Amino acid sequence: MARRPHNAPPQRDTGPRVNERITSKEIRLIGADGENVGVVTPARAMDMADEAGLDLVEISPNANPPVCKIMDFGKFKYEQQKRESEARKKQKTIEVKEVKFRPNTDTHDYDVKMRNVFKFLENGDKVKISLRFRGREMAHLNLGRELLERVAEDVKDHGKVESMPRMEGRQMIMMIGQLPK
């Protein structure tokens, strides 16, 4: 076994306790084929596990007495990792996509950008609509607000406005999320 460098952090013992690490005076034992053996000492349970050529694994440490099972620990860890990776695959992360407008965005450009907004909403993402003002356009904030209200009106069948238009510096920002199912 390789030596750990002396400045390495102590190894964390994660996961269930196995074999000699089980410290309780008594444990409730479940046999290799799932039958309930009853309350025994860890030494007796270790002997039974050795006879079967398997490990003694603490399944429920908070029970009184703790529940242990005779099983193949390597296989147990492998199946646990498989379950965790399946759970990760099924998890959907919601991304925030941004679509940028200008106060004088033309009709065709507006239509193209709105198609993107609809596509993002269908994919389950949130959409951040940002409207950037440059120079003297700051004097015409009402044009920007009208544009964002038009976006909100066009999008009402596909998503819902989560935050109404608000100014952040030289940008007016609005968030749109999916319609609740």
Side-chain angles (χ1 to χ4, degrees), residues 96-111:
V96 176
K97 303 285 190 173
E98 184 172 13
V99 178
K100 295 181 180 179
F101 286 91
R102 296 290 310 280
N104 48 5
T105 300
D106 208 22
T107 315
H108 180 262
D109 293 342
Y110 176 84
D111 294 339

Side-chain angles (χ1 to χ4, degrees), residues 22-150:
I22 298 171
T23 54
S24 314
K25 291 179 182 58
E26 292 185 322
I27 58 171
R28 183 172 305 281
L29 182 65
I30 298 171
D33 41 1
E35 86 282 354
N36 190 353
V37 177
V39 177
V40 294
T41 63
R44 168 101 175 87
M46 275 299 302
D47 292 339
M48 291 173 73
D50 286 339
E51 282 173 27
L54 297 170
D55 300 305
L56 183 65
V57 181
E58 191 175 47
I59 292 177
S60 154
N62 298 334
N64 193 9
V67 178
C68 297
K69 185 173 182 179
I70 296 175
M71 63 169 74
D72 182 356
F73 184 61
K75 187 176 175 186
F76 173 73
K77 270 176 71 171
Y78 170 72
E79 287 177 353
Q80 200 172 24
Q81 283 175 338
K82 244 169 78 171
R83 279 195 302 271
E84 286 171 3
S85 74
E86 280 296 316
R88 271 197 300 278
K89 279 182 196 168
K90 289 182 179 142
Q91 225 171 31
K92 171 91 172 85
T93 55
I94 295 178
E95 290 186 45
V96 176
K97 303 285 190 173
E98 184 172 13
V99 178
K100 295 181 180 179
F101 286 91
R102 296 290 310 280
N104 48 5
T105 300
D106 208 22
T107 315
H108 180 262
D109 293 342
Y110 176 84
D111 294 339
V112 171
K113 289 174 188 274
M114 286 310 290
R115 272 201 300 266
N116 282 337
V117 169
F118 296 142
K119 187 173 68 180
F120 294 148
L121 287 172
E122 283 171 17
N123 291 342
D125 299 321
K126 289 186 176 190
V127 182
K128 175 182 175 181
I129 308 285
S130 61
L131 185 72
R132 183 158 198 137
F133 295 98
R134 281 204 193 127
R136 291 189 181 160
E137 291 172 348
M138 288 296 285
H140 303 287
L141 294 179
N142 58 336
L143 287 176
R145 190 166 298 282
E146 286 169 15
L147 183 71
L148 288 183
E149 285 169 1
R150 181 174 154 202

